[in-house]
Amino acid sequence: MSKLVIVGTVAFDAIETPFGKTDKILGGAGTFIGLAASKFNIDSSVVSIVGGDFPQDYLDYLSQQNIDVSGIEIVPDGKTFFWSGKYHNDMNSRDTLVTELNVLEHFEPKVPEHFKDAEVVMLGNLHPSTQMSVLNQMTQKPKLVVLDTMNFWMDCALEELHQTIKHVDVITINDEEARQLTGEYSLVVAARKIHAMGPKFVVIKKGEHGALLFHDDSVFYAPALPLEEVFDPTGAGDTFAGGFVGYLTKTGDYSFENMKTAVIYGSTLASFCVEKFGTERMQNLNDNEVYRRLDQFKSLTQFDIELT
């Protein structure tokens, strides 16, 4: 069975949307990626750090999903990373109310020995130097390295980001970040410039407008499934990444054609994530629901046309 290493935050979130608000709940990029990838019955390990305030029940739950948690460092006298945000009525924009790095401030990832030979590595949104330190711990070159990043690192660690990007096969960023990274408004031109930085594949996420996959001169577009209600967008991008990388780890096929299917799986799982607060929907998701929604995606995008 193929192995997947995921590095990313395991954290507390407090969220407010037009539909309600929560106290501290389970969150973090590593958590959302791990839960989505776990739907593919693979061996995965989340590498992260939490404080002594992090409930053992959460760690037990992740373990029950066949996620190896031995790479999650626990600092007994420390506090877990905490983020709080409030979404606007359009659900596309939000205000960050609180960011407390806590133990994350001095995080030095330690990949478990039995995962240092993993075929696939998913570098969740962290400082580029932290992401690079994970690759340096691998005992053999992974068959696939996927990196997620954001505009914050482009503002304060651009040189380190460029160095790390050279070592990855796939980068996943949103449209705004692609434009900032390249200085190009056209996403086609932006993807070409990112290709030149190192990645063979570029995934540009467009939120409720779907996702684009670029490889050389080939482009694939996957729409987002139209939903009656978006309850909480937190973690949707990470869930997309988890579905994408989980499917690729399961199949072991890293071709452009197979990545098209991986994008659909990522979009499908992300469509569930937004239906409840935090990780609640992902925790109660079963295979039959996923298959039904995949069928909806197929109906949404498939058509017959006669070219005359």
Side-chain angles (χ1 to χ4, degrees), residues 281-296:
R281 187 66 177 94
M282 297 304 294
Q283 291 185 42
N284 297 300
L285 182 61
N286 63 57
D287 289 345
N288 287 334
E289 291 176 303
V290 175
Y291 294 142
R292 283 198 298 271
R293 192 154 291 184
L294 281 168
D295 193 53
Q296 286 181 269

Side-chain angles (χ1 to χ4, degrees), residues 105-154:
E105 188 172 1
H106 304 292
F107 176 42
E108 296 180 4
K110 298 178 182 65
V111 179
E113 286 295 328
H114 52 296
F115 273 90
K116 287 185 176 180
D117 61 348
E119 290 86 351
V120 183
V121 175
M122 175 71 222
L123 301 172
N125 177 29
L126 290 167
H127 193 288
S129 297
T130 303
Q131 293 174 320
M132 195 66 218
S133 74
V134 171
L135 295 184
N136 290 334
Q137 292 177 53
M138 305 305 290
T139 55
Q140 61 187 38
K141 181 177 171 57
K143 293 179 180 177
L144 188 76
V145 178
V146 182
L147 176 143
D148 188 32
T149 192
M150 66 181 297
N151 48 13
F152 178 78
W153 306 120
M154 298 172 200

Side-chain angles (χ1 to χ4, degrees), residues 255-274:
S255 65
F256 177 71
E257 287 302 314
N258 200 48
M259 283 198 186
K260 291 180 183 179
T261 307
V263 167
I264 295 296
Y265 267 99
S267 297
T268 298
L269 292 174
S271 74
F272 286 109
C273 176
V274 302

